[in-house]
Amino acid sequence: MIPFLDLKTINQQYRAELIEACTRVLDSGWYIGGQELEKFEQHFAQYCGTEFAIGVANGLDALILTLRAWKELGKLQDGDEVIVPANTYIASILAITANNLTPVLVEPDEQSLNISPAAIQAAITAKTKVILPVHLYGQLADMPKIMQIAQHHNLLVLEDSAQAHGAEIDGKKAGNWGDASGFSFYPGKNLGALGDAGAITTNDAELAQTLKALRNYGSHEKYKNLFAGVNSRLDEIQAAMLDVKLKYLDEEVVKRRQIAALYLSQIQNPFMTLPLTGGDAQQYEQHVWHLFVIQSEYRNELQNYLKENGVQTLIHYPIPPHKQLAYKEWNGLSFPITERIHTQVLSLPMGPTQTLEETQKVIELCNAFAPVGRV
């Protein structure tokens, strides 16, 4: 079976360094909020081009705590509206509702599948306070246009960069466009921990200090609590391992781009739509290919065919947030583009240790696929 993503092999490449990092933490006797966290935060901020990176327990907390911090700083209040793509993973929405804010779902651009600036503009009301673009699959949303809109309407921008570590537009990376950005280091991400982990990047010193307190029970100084905070700390072992893997992130992205280039140039099947259709060369160079997502009206048949022929695929995501029982009050809403996407998307194998032979096998099978009765 060609795996969708071989995490064991990916981490095996750095086994000696990861063991050394774990041993260093074990022998230090300091397991929360120490030098490893400080070092990783510094290195990740430098990588993203930001002044600050604040490690937290996971990517969802990164989004929740940023919105919470803006409430504590008086920039948001209950009921304020946050514009967010309808076709995102539910975490983007959960962060908004967890803060008693109001999600305003908008459709994506049909080519990039990222949030549409035109749809953002049309959704702005007097209650709009935040735009939350999601950099889906490893490609930045149209941040130059989004920042123009935000500045014109005096709105905050919170990037959801969970899938876009290292993605950029004109040399400016994910996490350095908005007022803040949430990152996930879930093991399957391009920069993945060996457990749950996340971070927030920002250039706002006041926000950074507020976030550091909020993640630690609201405490800026031991036993003194400015806020009713939470426990959402990035522990020393995960920080140490992430710092090892950060050094190799760009190399791994190059390998992902090489696989994507082969898929894009060699898969030719009228029953499949490839990503970046109609895109320019610059898009290819700046995309970090966390996922390689095709679309097909025959998605389920295609997935079964690939599985029967030894190829593992995944669906990101089968059910949009507004059709989930968690948000049953939205189940009657209609977002046609989003709903079509969620019935057609299929993620092909993509990872930095995927071999040329495996990639060619996926390409051959994709090219040979024809729905029943359509040969």
Side-chain angles (χ1 to χ4, degrees):
M1 175 70 75
I2 297 173
F4 173 74
L5 180 68
D6 189 348
L7 290 178
K8 183 176 179 180
T9 302
I10 289 170
N11 289 317
Q12 190 73 25
Q13 301 173 104
Y14 318 122
R15 178 182 172 85
E17 288 183 77
L18 292 171
I19 290 174
E20 181 185 354
C22 290
T23 302
R24 188 170 64 246
V25 174
L26 178 65
D27 291 347
S28 75
W30 194 290
Y31 308 121
I32 298 283
Q35 292 180 357
E36 300 294 342
L37 174 62
E38 184 178 340
K39 182 172 64 172
F40 173 68
E41 288 177 332
Q42 179 184 355
H43 290 163
F44 191 64
Q46 289 173 348
Y47 179 82
C48 295
T50 59
E51 290 291 324
F52 307 99
I54 302 95
V56 293
N58 53 69
L60 175 57
D61 281 3
L63 298 175
I64 290 175
L65 290 176
T66 303
L67 293 170
R68 168 73 187 283
W70 282 334
K71 291 182 77 175
E72 295 289 356
L73 293 169
K75 297 184 177 184
L76 297 177
Q77 59 185 5
D78 286 1
D80 283 344
E81 293 178 352
V82 181
I83 296 175
V84 64
N87 63 313
T88 185
Y89 181 57
I90 198 170
S92 310
I93 314 296
L94 291 172
I96 299 168
T97 56
N99 279 287
N100 294 318
L101 301 168
T102 303
V104 175
L105 308 182
V106 302
E107 292 272 49
D109 172 81
E110 291 194 69
Q111 287 191 350
S112 71
L113 305 189
N114 274 324
I115 192 168
S116 162
I120 292 172
Q121 183 70 61
I124 293 171
T125 72
K127 294 207 71 177
T128 305
K129 294 294 185 290
V130 182
I131 303 171
L132 201 164
V134 180
H135 305 317
L136 204 60
Y137 308 148
Q139 181 182 9
L140 284 189
D142 191 342
M143 292 310 296
K145 288 183 182 176
I146 290 171
M147 293 310 298
Q148 264 187 344
I149 293 168
Q151 288 157 14
H152 181 74
H153 294 276
N154 194 29
L155 303 177
L156 295 164
V157 175
L158 172 56
E159 300 172 68
D160 184 337
S161 299
Q163 299 185 354
H165 315 72
E168 61 183 39
I169 294 176
D170 297 331
K172 192 171 184 176
K173 285 188 169 69
N176 194 24
W177 281 92
D179 298 279
S181 178
F183 285 87
S184 168
F185 303 122
Y186 180 77
K189 303 300 187 187
N190 285 22
L191 178 59
L194 275 71
D196 269 324
I200 301 147
T201 55
T202 185
N203 292 306
D204 184 334
E206 185 180 30
L207 177 63
Q209 290 306 309
T210 304
L211 286 164
K212 286 180 180 180
L214 282 173
R215 73 178 175 184
N216 186 39
Y217 300 96
S219 176
H220 65 298
E221 184 180 335
K222 195 165 187 177
Y223 301 129
K224 293 183 180 180
N225 300 77
L226 289 170
F227 314 106
V230 299
N231 177 8
S232 181
R233 299 175 297 204
L234 175 58
D235 64 63
E236 287 286 278
I237 278 195
Q238 294 298 345
M241 290 191 288
L242 283 166
D243 204 49
V244 168
K245 296 184 70 177
L246 179 60
K247 295 183 296 184
Y248 302 102
L249 176 57
D250 286 344
E251 292 177 21
E252 292 197 357
V253 167
V254 167
K255 293 174 183 175
R256 288 174 177 273
R257 286 174 173 156
Q258 290 169 346
I259 294 166
L262 290 171
Y263 282 159
L264 289 164
S265 63
Q266 296 186 27
I267 294 177
Q268 297 179 348
N269 188 315
F271 303 110
M272 297 170 58
T273 300
L274 301 182
L276 299 184
T277 301
D280 59 31
Q282 195 173 42
Q283 285 182 298
Y284 294 77
E285 295 167 3
Q286 298 176 346
H287 199 312
V288 296
W289 298 104
H290 171 59
L291 300 171
F292 189 95
V293 180
I294 62 96
Q295 295 181 66
S296 176
E297 293 180 25
Y298 305 92
R299 189 264 306 283
N300 294 341
E301 189 178 343
L302 173 59
Q303 184 175 41
N304 288 333
Y305 158 81
L306 290 171
K307 181 180 179 181
E308 290 167 1
N309 285 278
V311 175
Q312 182 187 28
T313 59
L314 293 179
I315 298 172
H316 297 88
Y317 304 95
I319 305 172
H322 72 281
K323 295 297 184 182
Q324 298 283 358
L325 286 176
Y327 292 113
K328 55 183 177 291
E329 67 273 21
W330 297 343
N331 288 174
L333 296 179
S334 176
F335 294 96
I337 298 172
T338 291
E339 288 157 22
R340 174 180 57 76
I341 288 167
H342 283 256
T343 63
Q344 294 188 359
V345 290
L346 185 67
S347 301
L348 299 183
M350 169 61 73
T353 59
Q354 186 170 310
T355 66
L356 178 60
E357 291 74 21
E358 288 172 330
T359 302
Q360 290 295 343
K361 179 66 173 177
V362 173
I363 292 167
E364 290 167 12
L365 287 168
C366 284
N367 286 338
F369 170 74
V372 174
R374 298 297 300 273
V375 179

